[in-house]
Amino acid sequence: MSTRGFRVGTNPCSLRFALPGLRWLLGLGLFLGLHAVRSAAFYLPGLAPVNFCEAARETATCKSSVALFVNRLDSAESVLPYEYNTFDFCQDSGKKNPSENLGQVLFGERITSSPYEFSFNKTEICKKVCVKSYDRENEDHKKKLAFLKKGVQLNYQHHWIIDNMPVIWCHVIEDRKYCTPGFPIGCFITKSGIVKDACAIHPEFNKSNTFYFFNHIDIIITYHRESERNWDIARLVAARLDPQSYKHSDENHLTCNGPPMEIPGEHTDKLSVTYTYSVRFEENKSIKWASRWDYILESMPYTNIQWFSIMNSFVIALFLSGMVAMILLRTLHRDIIRYNQTNFSEEVQEDFGWKLIHGDVFRPPRNRILLSAFLGQGTQVLIMTFITLFLACFGFLSPANRGALMTCAIVLWVLLGTPAGYVSARMYKTLKGVNWKTNFLLTALLCPGVVFVDLFFMNLILWVEGSSAAISFGTLIGILAMWFGISVPLTFLGAYFGSKKKQFKCPVHTNQIPRHIPQQNFCTKPLFGVIIGGILPFGCIFIQLFFILNSIWSHQMYFMFGFLFLVFIILLITCSEATVLLCYFHLCAEDYHWWWRAFFTSSFTAVYLFIYAVHYFFAKLQIMGIASSILYFGYTMVMVLIFFLLTGTTGFFSCFWFITKIYSVVKVD
């Protein structure tokens, strides 16, 4: 599927919606979504095209050797990825590891060279790579074979790379074509005859309690000639493979046909596994190098999703937000006119509603130092997320640039310590706080410390399990150095300047004696408002949340950054309006404890996020093992905390601005 198919025959300008003023926003989302998919059209640093030619015409600018790199192996049934060399596959004698960025290290990507190397435009048929032998008397051999069988049972997937492109595997199930950016080690049929995973597409795999290894690979590499004037130079535009299982009876006379390579579940004899491959090259004149990543969209099982359903959700969310804003503004306008109206008699109208609590609405809340720290960290996360998604929309953090998204997010978070410290210190001073140094330490250490402890505990599990996702001790030291050497000093700098600024001047004075809050009914109690406040923002994100969780836990590429950026903007708008609306209702009920409520009203969306993650775990995943389950929920809690800070900060500052505005325009005696 190409990006032409990605448009699903839709022009944003031709959409007929009930709200014409929203067309530009939806058009922007479509444009950014398409732009992100076409990101390979930009020659980003490190992603310049590589020229290939036949061996007889090789020059300094044109090479004939096509190298195949291997990445980590992962599984949808286990959160634990493993390096290629952890399994007993054919190894490269001259091992080469390309340099990895911070994002790749944290995601557990381990790219290394492989013994598979081809010569451009040279066809190879059934070429031997290596032979692996297993003797039942050798304990080391038994462990290696048992680990391979475990990998087959958990459906671990290879991930191969040619010229920086994932090699995809396409297969047909029930007359439908499925493509994935990985292929399995093998498949397994249980003792009861249950056919699992890839065994379902091979009718010759039919013996119960039997493992089938994919020991032969048919590779098809597609290339494109750049111009007729320079006909010798070609560029690779696609790579596909088809795994096969063959029992090679004679490794010196390979035919790559015949019965499959099967291993009984209780295998006791000596065993030899011969790994082979075939490769051929095909020319395609229609695919340009700049759009070569289009074919990767075929590897997405949810590419043909209902785009109009997503846009419909956007329209509904925006329509509800507009209705909330319209009702709120009309009611407020009427309140302000009524409050400011005098009856020209000797008496002034009696105060009522939200005007009645003007002397208490800016009274500092409890735990002001904790609230200030949350707001500082939330500001840091909010700016980081906005810049990261904005860059991703324009292709700078595309899937072709592996690890760039995570690297960008971490670097931005470290460098944004100054606004975090400034916002926290300024808000703490506004709330009449005096211990600005304690506030600075809490801002710099609390939330990052919680995340670091959680990730450190997860890393211990990965280290014990021998996973490639385990971060080395040196990397941990580097992360701590970035935290304490860059982020903490920048946070201190921001806190220092924030503490020197004058506190925010409230539009009304605060009374010395707190006013009694009348008895509240069920609908105006804080808990009810907080629970209701998170529903509408969550309704805006749950569709995209499904694809994000798929990309993380089902190992699929995420490419819809345009839609994600649009959803992010709508999330901010919805959080703001929902918080302001509920805050207004509570003020009308003469409840002036709005500070923490404003933060929790929108941040409760994170609770719904956690509930959805639990549902996704039990309904969509087949994760097995206690370690994998702990890792899933450990990483989920990090996501929930970040989302909690982001949404809570958005709702709080929207409510703070709203209350400041309404009390600055009403007449107070």
Side-chain angles (χ1 to χ4, degrees):
M1 176 179 175
S2 68
T3 50
R4 297 176 182 86
F6 184 81
R7 292 175 182 168
V8 294
T10 305
N11 188 330
C13 297
S14 64
L15 300 177
R16 298 294 186 265
F17 291 109
L19 300 177
L22 302 180
R23 292 178 188 168
W24 71 271
L25 193 55
L26 294 171
L28 175 64
L30 278 173
F31 168 75
L32 293 177
L34 291 170
H35 202 83
V37 176
R38 292 180 178 272
S39 59
F42 293 95
Y43 292 169
L44 301 179
L47 299 179
V50 178
N51 297 325
F52 292 91
C53 56
E54 285 78 3
R57 302 179 183 274
E58 186 172 9
T59 63
T61 59
C62 175
K63 64 179 186 177
S64 62
S65 176
V66 181
L68 187 150
F69 288 86
V70 291
N71 202 344
R72 66 177 186 177
L73 283 84
D74 52 38
S75 168
E77 299 179 17
S78 174
V79 180
L80 302 169
Y82 289 99
E83 291 187 44
Y84 176 86
N85 295 332
T86 306
F87 292 89
D88 191 32
F89 299 131
C90 299
Q91 310 292 331
D92 182 21
S93 56
K95 184 178 176 182
K96 302 175 184 177
N97 295 323
S99 58
E100 297 175 335
N101 56 42
L102 181 60
Q104 289 177 288
V105 172
L106 295 180
F107 269 123
E109 291 196 20
R110 299 294 184 267
I111 300 176
T112 185
S113 58
S114 75
Y116 299 85
E117 189 167 351
F118 324 117
S119 183
F120 176 74
N121 219 9
K122 182 181 179 181
T123 301
E124 300 280 1
I125 303 295
C126 201
K127 186 173 182 179
K128 183 176 73 172
V129 183
C130 73
V131 178
K132 293 291 182 179
S133 300
Y134 303 96
D135 188 348
R136 62 187 180 92
E137 303 296 334
N138 190 308
E139 286 297 323
D140 185 52
H141 288 185
K142 289 173 64 176
K143 289 180 180 179
K144 290 180 178 179
L145 184 60
F147 194 70
L148 271 174
K149 289 182 177 180
K150 181 182 177 182
V152 172
Q153 287 180 313
L154 294 176
N155 195 27
Y156 269 84
Q157 305 277 318
H158 285 280
H159 293 279
W160 288 6
I161 301 168
I162 292 179
D163 192 28
N164 200 42
M165 294 184 300
V167 184
I168 67 169
W169 169 48
C170 295
H171 52 281
V172 178
I173 300 178
E174 297 179 354
D175 298 327
R176 291 191 62 185
K177 184 179 180 181
Y178 295 88
C179 295
T180 58
F183 67 96
I185 298 174
C187 62
F188 175 63
I189 298 179
T190 63
K191 292 181 179 180
S192 57
I194 299 176
V195 179
K196 297 188 65 179
D197 305 318
C199 286
I201 61 177
H202 292 276
E204 67 272 19
F205 298 171
N206 49 30
K207 292 185 180 180
S208 59
N209 193 27
T210 302
F211 293 87
Y212 294 91
F213 280 1
F214 291 129
N215 60 329
H216 175 81
I217 304 298
D218 290 321
I219 303 174
I220 301 175
I221 301 176
T222 306
Y223 65 91
H224 172 80
R225 300 285 186 182
E226 282 307 298
S227 65
E228 295 183 0
R229 290 177 299 176
N230 200 358
W231 192 250
D232 295 334
I233 294 178
R235 292 173 180 173
L236 307 186
V237 294
R240 293 177 172 85
L241 60 76
D242 187 20
Q244 302 290 342
S245 179
Y246 296 125
K247 184 177 181 180
H248 300 293
S249 55
D250 186 358
E251 64 180 77
N252 297 318
H253 297 85
L254 302 173
T255 58
C256 291
N257 55 34
M261 182 68 215
E262 57 185 37
I263 304 173
E266 285 81 18
H267 182 75
T268 56
D269 299 330
K270 291 185 178 180
L271 174 69
S272 292
V273 180
T274 303
Y275 289 91
T276 58
Y277 74 90
S278 299
V279 61
R280 62 187 174 92
F281 291 79
E282 293 181 349
E283 183 178 1
N284 189 308
K285 297 182 179 180
S286 60
I287 303 177
K288 303 291 185 180
W289 186 90
S291 58
R292 66 176 187 162
W293 275 75
D294 292 358
Y295 87 101
I296 302 297
L297 295 178
E298 296 180 8
S299 67
M300 307 301 157
Y302 298 101
T303 298
N304 296 321
I305 60 174
Q306 299 178 356
W307 298 103
F308 276 105
S309 296
I310 292 182
M311 289 187 287
N312 214 22
S313 299
F314 293 162
V315 172
I316 291 172
L318 290 173
F319 177 75
L320 290 176
S321 301
M323 292 297 295
V324 167
M326 184 168 53
I327 293 172
L328 191 60
L329 291 175
R330 289 185 62 182
T331 307
L332 258 180
H333 182 66
R334 187 171 58 248
D335 286 348
I336 292 172
I337 292 176
R338 187 168 48 179
Y339 289 155
N340 292 338
Q341 185 180 15
T342 57
N343 54 9
F344 297 104
S345 61
E346 295 182 359
E347 295 182 356
V348 178
Q349 271 188 291
E350 183 181 356
D351 290 345
F352 58 92
W354 54 268
K355 182 182 179 182
L356 193 62
I357 58 173
H358 64 83
D360 298 276
V361 72
F362 288 101
R363 187 179 303 280
R366 297 178 180 177
N367 300 318
R368 69 192 82 176
I369 192 171
L370 183 60
L371 177 61
S372 302
F374 281 168
L375 294 174
Q377 280 293 314
T379 303
Q380 190 174 11
V381 171
L382 179 62
I383 301 174
M384 175 201 74
T385 306
F386 181 86
I387 297 177
T388 301
L389 292 180
F390 184 79
L391 293 176
C393 283
F394 290 94
F396 294 103
L397 307 178
S398 69
N401 197 1
R402 291 179 177 83
L405 186 71
M406 177 62 75
T407 303
C408 177
I410 293 176
V411 171
L412 284 173
W413 180 85
V414 170
L415 297 178
L416 289 171
T418 301
Y422 180 85
V423 170
S424 178
R426 186 80 188 277
M427 183 54 62
Y428 183 60
K429 192 170 184 180
T430 299
L431 297 178
K432 307 295 192 298
V434 293
N435 298 321
W436 74 272
K437 293 181 181 178
T438 305
N439 170 254
F440 145 69
L441 291 174
L442 205 61
T443 304
L445 303 178
L446 178 60
C447 294
V450 171
V451 172
F452 182 82
V453 170
D454 183 281
L455 294 180
F456 181 78
F457 178 68
M458 299 298 105
N459 195 62
L460 287 179
I461 298 177
L462 293 169
W463 178 73
V464 171
E465 296 290 336
S467 172
S468 67
I471 302 172
S472 65
F473 180 75
T475 304
L476 283 176
I477 296 299
I479 293 174
L480 286 174
M482 292 175 63
W483 180 14
F484 287 100
I486 303 176
S487 180
V488 172
L490 289 177
T491 305
F492 175 80
L493 185 66
Y496 176 78
F497 285 109
S499 63
K500 296 299 181 182
K501 282 281 186 178
K502 294 182 180 179
Q503 68 180 46
F504 176 78
K505 186 177 181 181
C506 301
V508 290
H509 295 289
T510 302
N511 297 333
Q512 292 185 353
I513 302 176
R515 182 183 179 84
H516 173 71
I517 300 175
Q519 183 70 28
Q520 303 292 310
N521 58 37
F522 178 76
C523 293
T524 57
K525 286 186 177 179
L527 182 60
F528 178 80
V530 166
I531 294 174
I532 294 297
I535 293 178
L536 189 59
F538 180 76
C540 296
I541 66 167
F542 81 96
I543 295 178
Q544 287 294 321
L545 184 60
F546 172 77
F547 296 105
I548 293 173
L549 292 178
N550 268 348
S551 68
I552 296 175
W553 303 115
S554 296
H555 313 293
Q556 299 170 11
M557 291 184 185
Y558 189 88
F559 59 92
M560 297 182 292
F561 291 108
F563 282 115
L564 183 60
F565 184 73
L566 178 59
V567 170
F568 175 71
I569 298 300
I570 295 177
L571 172 67
L572 299 183
I573 295 172
T574 311
C575 284
S576 302
E577 292 182 343
T579 305
V580 166
L581 180 63
L582 290 169
C583 182
Y584 171 74
F585 289 154
H586 286 99
L587 292 179
C588 289
E590 302 178 15
D591 185 356
Y592 52 83
H593 292 154
W594 64 272
W595 301 89
W596 277 107
R597 188 188 298 119
F599 187 88
F600 284 129
T601 297
S602 55
S603 65
F604 202 80
T605 310
V607 177
Y608 292 110
L609 170 63
F610 178 75
I611 295 173
Y612 185 86
V614 173
H615 163 74
Y616 182 86
F617 177 82
F618 289 104
K620 303 296 181 182
L621 299 178
Q622 297 94 32
I623 290 180
M624 303 170 61
I626 297 177
S628 295
S629 300
I630 294 175
L631 289 170
Y632 175 86
F633 287 104
Y635 290 130
T636 298
M637 292 308 298
V638 174
M639 295 170 53
V640 169
L641 175 60
I642 293 173
F643 199 73
F644 169 82
L645 295 172
L646 187 150
T647 52
T649 301
T650 303
F652 175 87
F653 282 115
S654 301
C655 192
F656 183 77
W657 173 84
F658 168 75
I659 291 178
T660 303
K661 285 295 181 182
I662 64 173
Y663 281 99
S664 64
V665 297
V666 70
K667 294 180 180 179
V668 177
D669 294 334

